[in-house]
Amino acid sequence: MTNYKFILSGGGTGGHIYPAIAIANELKTQFPDAEFLFVGAQDKMEMQKVPQAGYEIKGLWIAGLQRKLTLQNLMFPLKLATSLLESRRIIKQFKPNVVIGTGGFASGPLLQAAGSAGIPTVIQEQNSFPGITNKLLSKKANVICVAYGNLERFFPEGKIVLTGNPVRQDLIDIESKKDEAITFYGLDPNKKTLLVLGGSLGARRVNQLIEKELQSMLSQDVQIIWQCGKLYFEDYKKYNQQHVRVVDFIERMDFVYAAADVIISRAGASSVSELCIVGKPVIFIPSPNVAEDHQTKNAQAIVDAKGAILLKESDLDSQFSIVFEALMKDDGKQKQLSANIKKLAMPNATKVIVEEIKKLL
């Protein structure tokens, strides 16, 4: 049997890293003798997360362009040239059969170098509105795996395959874990549980909102698991109390999803895909600070299917308490949102993506 070799590149945020790891795990299941190498950006989260998942990673000296003139931006051409040279060297040494990019700065030079060397490349685009790197790479890519329809306006139509986003497989059957999850977090089984997700690093505006509304929410007989993020944990850990669990990072996502009755979340692509599978009522608060406002577009796609509620940051002060209280009091609305968001789930995304990769071997 051929000993296949795969390079995967994606990073900067969990939303790019976890899909890459999920794809690698599925490839490993199907090709136990395959060799894997990850390529990320030095100093970014992937340099820890990928080795924790059991894979080797090499770091490129690359960072994205800032929106204003900074020293970082002046260094960008040098960093890009260095990363392209390093990517060529990695590809020449490792000799991959296929190179897979899941987004983030490092995937740009790596897929560019792979394409130039005539090696098949696959792009996995998580968002409903692609970033600039993937738009540029799509011209040379062999296959573009997407999670949303109507992306022909950004990518060559013949290369697009609708697959969904890879998600953690332990989320597929969370209902069976509810009792275990409630015990794990020391929750009251007779109270509704609100889960607040601000992403792995945290979301300042979401944290400020929860801090402001905390007493009002608790007065509606809810208990809260509040993931405030690593950057903000020192500021908010003081709110840990009987019915509030403040955590910086969540290792067991399956447990928090199983315990939750209602979820407040950012609208990063991976989170949205996970929430479709989890099928709980969601209030999305998209981050307005991400490129091309893609979180709002991700959330809007779910709202258009009557599967979630969307609140813009600018409307939180005037609308949040009204919307939240109305949702908590309306079991029918909760059930309706659950049913509709679940219809959008694509639980087999990872397997479908791997089938596309296998066609290129």
Side-chain angles (χ1 to χ4, degrees), residues 346-361:
M346 294 186 178
N348 298 319
T350 316
K351 285 189 169 64
V352 180
I353 291 164
V354 166
E355 287 307 311
E356 291 300 322
I357 294 167
K358 281 161 71 176
K359 290 176 191 172
L360 300 174
L361 293 171

mmCIF file of all heavy atoms in Angstrom, residues 346-361:
data_model
loop_
_atom_site.group_PDB
_atom_site.id
_atom_site.type_symbol
_atom_site.label_atom_id
_atom_site.label_comp_id
_atom_site.label_asym_id
_atom_site.label_seq_id
_atom_site.Cartn_x
_atom_site.Cartn_y
_atom_site.Cartn_z
ATOM 1 N N MET A 346 -24.572 19.488 9.097
ATOM 2 C CA MET A 346 -23.898 18.594 8.150
ATOM 3 C C MET A 346 -22.886 17.760 8.940
ATOM 4 O O MET A 346 -21.686 18.020 8.921
ATOM 5 C CB MET A 346 -23.178 19.404 7.070
ATOM 6 C CG MET A 346 -24.107 20.171 6.157
ATOM 7 S SD MET A 346 -23.158 20.950 4.837
ATOM 8 C CE MET A 346 -24.474 21.704 3.893
ATOM 9 N N PRO A 347 -23.380 16.736 9.647
ATOM 10 C CA PRO A 347 -22.506 16.008 10.576
ATOM 11 C C PRO A 347 -21.415 15.180 9.912
ATOM 12 O O PRO A 347 -20.448 14.800 10.545
ATOM 13 C CB PRO A 347 -23.478 15.113 11.358
ATOM 14 C CG PRO A 347 -24.687 15.023 10.503
ATOM 15 C CD PRO A 347 -24.762 16.266 9.704
ATOM 16 N N ASN A 348 -21.552 14.910 8.593
ATOM 17 C CA ASN A 348 -20.555 14.051 7.928
ATOM 18 C C ASN A 348 -19.508 14.834 7.147
ATOM 19 O O ASN A 348 -18.820 14.287 6.285
ATOM 20 C CB ASN A 348 -21.259 13.067 6.975
ATOM 21 C CG ASN A 348 -22.199 12.157 7.734
ATOM 22 O OD1 ASN A 348 -21.860 11.687 8.820
ATOM 23 N ND2 ASN A 348 -23.377 11.927 7.200
ATOM 24 N N ALA A 349 -19.386 16.135 7.448
ATOM 25 C CA ALA A 349 -18.506 17.012 6.666
ATOM 26 C C ALA A 349 -17.090 16.455 6.529
ATOM 27 O O ALA A 349 -16.527 16.423 5.433
ATOM 28 C CB ALA A 349 -18.466 18.395 7.305
ATOM 29 N N THR A 350 -16.508 15.998 7.639
ATOM 30 C CA THR A 350 -15.105 15.563 7.596
ATOM 31 C C THR A 350 -14.928 14.397 6.627
ATOM 32 O O THR A 350 -13.998 14.384 5.820
ATOM 33 C CB THR A 350 -14.626 15.155 9.009
ATOM 34 O OG1 THR A 350 -15.080 16.136 9.939
ATOM 35 C CG2 THR A 350 -13.127 15.081 9.079
ATOM 36 N N LYS A 351 -15.845 13.433 6.701
ATOM 37 C CA LYS A 351 -15.754 12.274 5.801
ATOM 38 C C LYS A 351 -15.890 12.695 4.341
ATOM 39 O O LYS A 351 -15.194 12.186 3.459
ATOM 40 C CB LYS A 351 -16.844 11.246 6.153
ATOM 41 C CG LYS A 351 -16.547 10.451 7.418
ATOM 42 C CD LYS A 351 -17.554 9.303 7.594
ATOM 43 C CE LYS A 351 -17.123 8.348 8.700
ATOM 44 N NZ LYS A 351 -17.085 8.957 10.033
ATOM 45 N N VAL A 352 -16.806 13.631 4.070
ATOM 46 C CA VAL A 352 -17.030 14.086 2.689
ATOM 47 C C VAL A 352 -15.778 14.803 2.158
ATOM 48 O O VAL A 352 -15.369 14.602 1.010
ATOM 49 C CB VAL A 352 -18.275 15.013 2.614
ATOM 50 C CG1 VAL A 352 -18.507 15.485 1.185
ATOM 51 C CG2 VAL A 352 -19.517 14.291 3.120
ATOM 52 N N ILE A 353 -15.152 15.610 3.012
ATOM 53 C CA ILE A 353 -13.929 16.326 2.618
ATOM 54 C C ILE A 353 -12.810 15.316 2.309
ATOM 55 O O ILE A 353 -12.106 15.442 1.307
ATOM 56 C CB ILE A 353 -13.476 17.315 3.733
ATOM 57 C CG1 ILE A 353 -14.490 18.464 3.833
ATOM 58 C CG2 ILE A 353 -12.083 17.860 3.463
ATOM 59 C CD1 ILE A 353 -14.380 19.283 5.112
ATOM 60 N N VAL A 354 -12.688 14.311 3.168
ATOM 61 C CA VAL A 354 -11.647 13.293 2.946
ATOM 62 C C VAL A 354 -11.891 12.518 1.639
ATOM 63 O O VAL A 354 -10.951 12.187 0.922
ATOM 64 C CB VAL A 354 -11.520 12.365 4.175
ATOM 65 C CG1 VAL A 354 -10.715 11.105 3.860
ATOM 66 C CG2 VAL A 354 -10.861 13.129 5.323
ATOM 67 N N GLU A 355 -13.155 12.279 1.296
ATOM 68 C CA GLU A 355 -13.458 11.628 0.010
ATOM 69 C C GLU A 355 -12.947 12.489 -1.156
ATOM 70 O O GLU A 355 -12.417 11.952 -2.143
ATOM 71 C CB GLU A 355 -14.972 11.372 -0.153
ATOM 72 C CG GLU A 355 -15.510 10.237 0.718
ATOM 73 C CD GLU A 355 -14.739 8.924 0.548
ATOM 74 O OE1 GLU A 355 -14.515 8.498 -0.617
ATOM 75 O OE2 GLU A 355 -14.338 8.323 1.577
ATOM 76 N N GLU A 356 -13.096 13.807 -1.026
ATOM 77 C CA GLU A 356 -12.597 14.717 -2.078
ATOM 78 C C GLU A 356 -11.065 14.655 -2.151
ATOM 79 O O GLU A 356 -10.487 14.707 -3.239
ATOM 80 C CB GLU A 356 -13.055 16.155 -1.819
ATOM 81 C CG GLU A 356 -14.551 16.378 -2.003
ATOM 82 C CD GLU A 356 -15.039 16.045 -3.429
ATOM 83 O OE1 GLU A 356 -14.309 16.336 -4.394
ATOM 84 O OE2 GLU A 356 -16.143 15.469 -3.559
ATOM 85 N N ILE A 357 -10.411 14.573 -0.983
ATOM 86 C CA ILE A 357 -8.939 14.502 -0.951
ATOM 87 C C ILE A 357 -8.474 13.196 -1.615
ATOM 88 O O ILE A 357 -7.516 13.170 -2.388
ATOM 89 C CB ILE A 357 -8.421 14.604 0.500
ATOM 90 C CG1 ILE A 357 -8.730 16.001 1.079
ATOM 91 C CG2 ILE A 357 -6.918 14.309 0.582
ATOM 92 C CD1 ILE A 357 -8.552 16.133 2.589
ATOM 93 N N LYS A 358 -9.204 12.096 -1.330
ATOM 94 C CA LYS A 358 -8.806 10.787 -1.870
ATOM 95 C C LYS A 358 -8.852 10.766 -3.396
ATOM 96 O O LYS A 358 -8.057 10.091 -4.055
ATOM 97 C CB LYS A 358 -9.718 9.695 -1.291
ATOM 98 C CG LYS A 358 -9.332 9.282 0.128
ATOM 99 C CD LYS A 358 -10.446 8.574 0.846
ATOM 100 C CE LYS A 358 -10.730 7.191 0.328
ATOM 101 N NZ LYS A 358 -11.781 6.521 1.162
ATOM 102 N N LYS A 359 -9.785 11.553 -3.966
ATOM 103 C CA LYS A 359 -9.882 11.597 -5.443
ATOM 104 C C LYS A 359 -8.616 12.173 -6.084
ATOM 105 O O LYS A 359 -8.356 11.970 -7.251
ATOM 106 C CB LYS A 359 -11.088 12.453 -5.862
ATOM 107 C CG LYS A 359 -12.438 11.823 -5.566
ATOM 108 C CD LYS A 359 -13.572 12.791 -5.937
ATOM 109 C CE LYS A 359 -14.907 12.299 -5.404
ATOM 110 N NZ LYS A 359 -15.972 13.309 -5.585
ATOM 111 N N LEU A 360 -7.853 12.925 -5.290
ATOM 112 C CA LEU A 360 -6.645 13.567 -5.836
ATOM 113 C C LEU A 360 -5.395 12.704 -5.683
ATOM 114 O O LEU A 360 -4.334 13.040 -6.174
ATOM 115 C CB LEU A 360 -6.401 14.917 -5.117
ATOM 116 C CG LEU A 360 -7.532 15.944 -5.247
ATOM 117 C CD1 LEU A 360 -7.231 17.155 -4.382
ATOM 118 C CD2 LEU A 360 -7.712 16.372 -6.694
ATOM 119 N N LEU A 361 -5.513 11.585 -4.971
ATOM 120 C CA LEU A 361 -4.333 10.726 -4.738
ATOM 121 C C LEU A 361 -4.003 9.891 -5.984
ATOM 122 O O LEU A 361 -4.897 9.452 -6.680
ATOM 123 C CB LEU A 361 -4.592 9.794 -3.543
ATOM 124 C CG LEU A 361 -4.715 10.489 -2.194
ATOM 125 C CD1 LEU A 361 -5.182 9.506 -1.122
ATOM 126 C CD2 LEU A 361 -3.396 11.118 -1.772
#
